[in-house]
Amino acid sequence: MKITIENKDAMSVIRLADTSVILAQRLAEMCSNGPTLEEDIALSNISLDLFGRAEELYRIVARMEGNKFTPDEYVFHRNEREYYNIKLVEQPNHDFAWVISRQLLHDIYAKELFTQLSNSPIHEIAGLSQKVLKEIRYSFMHSHDWTNRLGLGTPESNQRMQAALDHLMKYVDEMFNFDELDRKFIPDPEKLKSTWFSEVDRILGESNLKRNAVAPLSMRDFRQGFHSEHMGHLLSIMQFLPRAYPDAKW
Amino acid sequence: MVVQKEFGHLWELLSEIPDPEIPVINLVELGVIRHIEEKPDHDKVIVTITPTYTGCPAKKLFQDLILEKLASKGYHNVEIISQLFPVWSTDWLTDETKAKLLKEGISPPTIGDKIIQCPKCKSTDTKMVSAFGSTPCQSLYTCNNCKEPFNYFKCY
């Protein structure tokens, strides 16, 4: 099955959908691996929100594309180079500090992004965005709280958070390289970027953490389907069942 | 929420469907069912629903339960439309519905998650244990007064 995306609007929306589904999959990996039972439940709940958000976004993509493919087909039958998620969300759960840092950087981005999308002239995108913002409130409360706790915790937790942030910050630049397709949906990309940086700096500041300068990555943009080495491994696990058993129903 | 008077018998019928996770309230009270339309020659019913939470695992079940209930009264040609707009909100729960939740041991949503009451001793001296609970719509709390742990229905 070769999945194509013809419509330009659909191409922009599928980036949001892919970012949601890949982060959902990463968090689903934490199910039964959280440091405490409450944390396990929290991360699984946030994962569920992201899967639900992705499903709604793929439905919008499917409608824009004349229902040629279903949401499941978009998720399970595209290869690595046909995925358009930001590289930040595919980074692995190296330790709990990576999980939390990734959540924090993503939540602030998503909060600003969906705030701008909530005024979209496309009704279903505006409606979904308003819904998503309610969910992000809880997810952001979680990542904000944990950033404070780990940053201000022990020297070990602080050092691990800083190491995670130093690594993940390498993948931030591309998040703001909005192209023509994105700009149709995001009325004020400059504001999105400046709000993101000031919000991240504020929270890191109150948590005794820093945003260190990072050398830019020589990796091409996710908008062209380029990914870090972790992406293929993630997809191989996520897509195994429907690819091995194409008629499986659940 | 405001129950539309038209097609009253169908509204009544669908209000017999309990929420799968919180059976004390039904799908109409929950605000999931937005609109019911019966075609003039009675051969088709269109039900418009809205999801509570995008990732709610009961989303598909809602649809199956509606189809099953309508089929039990002879409505076999049913179309279910899911719409996101207007966005579902816990503000749609009536005081009566909230009272039912409290009676069932689930503290009902309050504006801005501000004053959260213990369903057992009714004290408002309570604290959050975890923002995430057994379902996407609930948080875990304990009561500082009677020490009882309870679920709180998050404000959305």
Side-chain angles (χ1 to χ4, degrees):
Chain A
M1 186 185 302
K2 176 74 187 162
I3 297 197
T4 53
I5 298 145
E6 314 287 341
N7 183 300
K8 285 185 174 177
D9 289 350
M11 186 47 126
S12 187
V13 178
I14 207 166
R15 293 168 181 167
L16 302 171
D18 288 351
T19 294
S20 295
V21 87
I22 297 300
L23 185 56
Q25 174 68 16
R26 273 289 180 238
L27 291 178
E29 291 170 11
M30 289 303 290
C31 185
S32 82
N33 291 311
T36 63
L37 182 61
E38 287 80 4
E39 205 36 46
D40 217 88
I41 293 171
L43 293 171
S44 305
N45 262 282
I46 297 168
S47 172
L48 204 57
D49 279 349
L50 286 156
F51 276 124
R53 182 182 315 167
E55 190 187 9
E56 297 294 344
L57 287 163
Y58 286 118
R59 272 190 223 291
I60 295 174
V61 169
R63 271 197 290 275
M64 287 172 163
E65 287 284 301
N67 290 314
K68 277 184 292 206
F69 301 103
T70 64
D72 272 5
E73 286 167 344
Y74 284 115
V75 172
F76 295 123
H77 294 281
R78 279 180 304 147
N79 294 326
E80 187 186 351
R81 286 286 301 274
E82 297 161 322
Y83 256 88
Y84 304 102
N85 54 282
I86 56 175
K87 293 185 195 77
L88 172 74
V89 296
E90 72 204 32
Q91 299 311 305
N93 302 324
H94 179 71
D95 65 13
F96 189 60
W98 280 49
V99 176
I100 295 305
S101 303
R102 193 182 57 211
Q103 282 307 109
L104 181 78
L105 304 183
H106 166 269
D107 287 350
I108 297 172
Y109 185 63
K111 198 156 62 86
E112 294 311 315
L113 200 58
F114 284 101
T115 301
Q116 294 207 12
L117 291 170
S118 62
N119 296 316
S120 168
I122 301 175
H123 243 206
E124 48 190 350
I125 291 185
L128 177 62
S129 301
Q130 288 167 28
K131 202 165 186 59
V132 163
L133 285 174
K134 295 185 181 193
E135 296 171 350
I136 290 175
R137 208 182 113 222
Y138 287 94
S139 174
F140 177 56
M141 207 156 65
H142 174 262
S143 54
H144 183 179
D145 181 53
W146 269 111
T147 302
N148 286 165
R149 280 206 261 173
L150 295 176
L152 301 171
T154 63
E156 173 79 9
S157 70
N158 177 281
Q159 178 266 321
R160 285 199 184 211
M161 264 312 267
Q162 192 60 58
L165 287 163
D166 289 347
H167 178 85
L168 295 172
M169 283 293 178
K170 293 180 200 163
Y171 300 97
V172 164
D173 264 2
E174 64 170 5
M175 287 161 37
F176 302 102
N177 291 339
F178 299 112
D179 66 5
E180 204 184 308
L181 305 184
D182 294 328
R183 277 194 215 104
K184 195 177 158 193
F185 288 92
I186 303 165
D188 194 348
E190 278 314 307
K191 178 165 177 273
L192 203 161
K193 187 175 177 175
S194 61
T195 313
W196 188 88
F197 278 98
S198 64
E199 186 80 337
V200 167
D201 288 347
R202 178 179 72 81
I203 292 167
L204 297 188
E206 69 189 28
S207 312
N208 194 23
L209 295 162
K210 293 188 296 286
R211 182 164 57 81
N212 290 324
V214 289
L217 279 184
S218 50
M219 259 172 145
R220 285 200 266 170
D221 200 288
F222 73 90
R223 291 169 188 82
Q224 272 77 54
F226 288 95
H227 295 280
S228 59
E229 63 177 296
H230 309 292
M231 184 66 179
H233 297 282
L234 182 150
L235 290 183
S236 69
I237 293 170
M238 185 171 85
Q239 297 180 333
F240 168 77
L241 197 136
R243 290 205 183 216
Y245 304 95
D247 301 322
K249 294 267 178 287
W250 60 84
Chain B
M1 64 158 280
V2 183
V3 174
Q4 301 180 23
K5 288 284 172 278
E6 228 182 331
F7 310 118
H9 63 294
L10 288 178
W11 281 100
E12 238 166 72
L13 184 65
L14 294 186
S15 60
E16 290 170 12
I17 307 174
D19 176 272
E21 278 167 349
I22 311 165
V24 66
I25 56 174
N26 66 57
L27 293 193
V28 173
E29 289 172 315
L30 190 61
V32 163
I33 297 169
R34 305 307 302 154
H35 189 72
I36 304 175
E37 189 188 347
E38 191 177 359
K39 291 287 172 202
D41 38 5
H42 302 286
D43 68 344
K44 189 176 184 182
V45 176
I46 301 170
V47 183
T48 306
I49 60 170
T50 191
T52 49
Y53 302 83
T54 54
C56 183
K59 236 169 27 171
K60 175 76 172 66
L61 192 57
F62 285 166
Q63 305 202 4
D64 293 345
L65 291 171
I66 292 168
L67 292 175
E68 193 183 63
K69 180 57 87 181
L70 288 169
S72 75
K73 295 288 174 203
Y75 297 96
H76 294 286
N77 188 5
V78 178
E79 187 186 348
I80 297 181
I81 300 171
S82 181
Q83 69 172 26
L84 286 165
F85 203 88
V87 182
W88 182 82
S89 164
T90 45
D91 297 349
W92 295 352
L93 302 178
T94 60
D95 288 345
E96 194 193 345
T97 307
K98 289 180 182 174
K100 275 197 203 175
L101 284 171
L102 192 66
K103 202 164 161 237
E104 195 57 23
I106 300 168
S107 190
T110 54
I111 305 295
D113 296 333
K114 287 282 185 287
I115 302 160
I116 292 155
Q117 200 178 27
C118 167
K120 197 173 168 71
C121 74
K122 311 290 184 275
S123 165
T124 52
D125 181 16
T126 57
K127 71 163 190 275
M128 186 196 276
V129 178
S130 171
F132 301 89
S134 54
T135 72
C137 56
Q138 297 177 56
S139 297
L140 291 175
Y141 273 75
T142 52
C143 175
N144 291 328
N145 182 44
C146 74
K147 314 295 179 205
E148 184 78 1
F150 63 93
N151 279 322
Y152 166 67
F153 200 118
K154 286 183 210 171
C155 172
Y156 258 61

